[in-house]
Amino acid sequence: MDTGSRRSDRRRAWSDRMSDRSSRSDTSNRTRYSRLKTRLRAMVFSKTFGGPIEEKVCYENTYKMEPEEEGKFSTRKCQQIIYGILESYLSGKEYNGKTFPHLTKTLADLIKERVKSSGLSRYKIVSYVTVVEKREQGLNHASRCLWDDSSDNFASAIFETPTFFVVGNVYATYYE
């Protein structure tokens, strides 16, 4: 009996040790697994998007409710930008219904980028270009916006040739 009780004691001790190990190994396996998963995600992300993972920079709110005087939207400056782009790209061209839709999108993007790079900060810019072929017709062009008169504004310029005319509009709304 003495040997049988020793064996059962040994078995109990062995099973207790194994249960301790398994609970420890479960925890360590989970942490190893989560680390491995994070590394794999980073590797897949860097291979898919061609670079290391960059942390997103978060800025604190400034609570500026109005733009600074030197950073305000200038209608005159914007009109010059719009007219200059329309003139440089469209002077001497004939109206073509197949190529002009793509050209108007390109012009609107170019106008938006030039206005943004003119020194405006904290403004959202919307650029809109309309091309109309001249065929002795009339045209009414209207727009409505909901905004703050003290900080938001718009600019518009018209470029005309013998076969078509173009209206370029830019709307600038201050982003708080």
Side-chain angles (χ1 to χ4, degrees):
M1 254 192 176
D2 193 27
T3 57
S5 66
R6 283 186 203 163
R7 282 185 190 164
S8 65
D9 288 341
R10 284 185 203 158
R11 286 182 187 159
R12 262 188 245 123
W14 182 78
S15 67
D16 289 343
R17 280 193 309 240
M18 292 311 289
S19 66
D20 284 347
R21 283 184 186 171
S22 67
S23 65
R24 275 188 269 145
S25 65
D26 282 348
T27 308
S28 63
N29 283 341
R30 279 189 225 130
T31 55
R32 274 191 236 138
Y33 177 72
S34 65
R35 286 184 203 142
L36 179 63
K37 202 160 100 174
T38 305
R39 286 183 194 151
L40 285 174
R41 282 184 185 158
M43 288 171 47
V44 168
F45 185 82
S46 65
K47 286 181 182 178
T48 305
F49 297 108
I53 298 175
E54 297 178 12
E55 291 185 28
K56 186 177 178 182
V57 178
C58 295
Y59 295 102
E60 294 292 323
N61 293 333
T62 59
Y63 302 105
K64 291 184 179 181
M65 300 305 283
E66 293 181 2
E68 296 171 359
E69 199 57 42
E70 65 270 359
K72 270 194 163 182
F73 181 79
S74 170
T75 304
R76 179 178 294 147
K77 188 176 178 182
C78 189
Q79 284 175 338
Q80 291 171 352
I81 291 171
I82 296 168
Y83 188 79
I85 290 172
L86 295 179
E87 184 180 34
S88 65
Y89 278 84
L90 298 174
S91 61
K93 289 198 176 194
E94 293 286 323
Y95 181 79
N96 184 346
K98 291 184 179 182
T99 60
F100 269 42
H102 179 68
L103 182 62
T104 57
K105 183 182 180 310
T106 304
L107 288 173
D109 290 341
L110 185 61
I111 289 170
K112 181 176 74 172
E113 290 304 315
R114 290 258 178 96
V115 170
K116 277 184 179 179
S117 66
S118 70
L120 292 178
S121 63
R122 302 181 65 100
Y123 273 94
K124 291 192 178 194
I125 306 295
V126 176
S127 177
Y128 189 76
V129 175
T130 305
V131 178
V132 179
E133 183 180 15
K134 285 187 180 178
R135 289 201 168 182
E136 299 177 15
Q137 79 274 17
L139 173 72
N140 290 326
H141 183 85
S143 62
R144 295 175 70 178
C145 299
L146 178 64
W147 62 29
D148 181 13
D149 289 339
S150 64
S151 58
D152 303 337
N153 212 339
F154 77 100
S156 182
I158 299 171
F159 179 75
E160 194 169 346
T161 68
T163 58
F164 64 92
F165 67 93
V166 181
V167 179
N169 295 319
V170 170
Y171 304 96
T173 57
Y174 184 71
Y175 181 67
E176 300 172 351

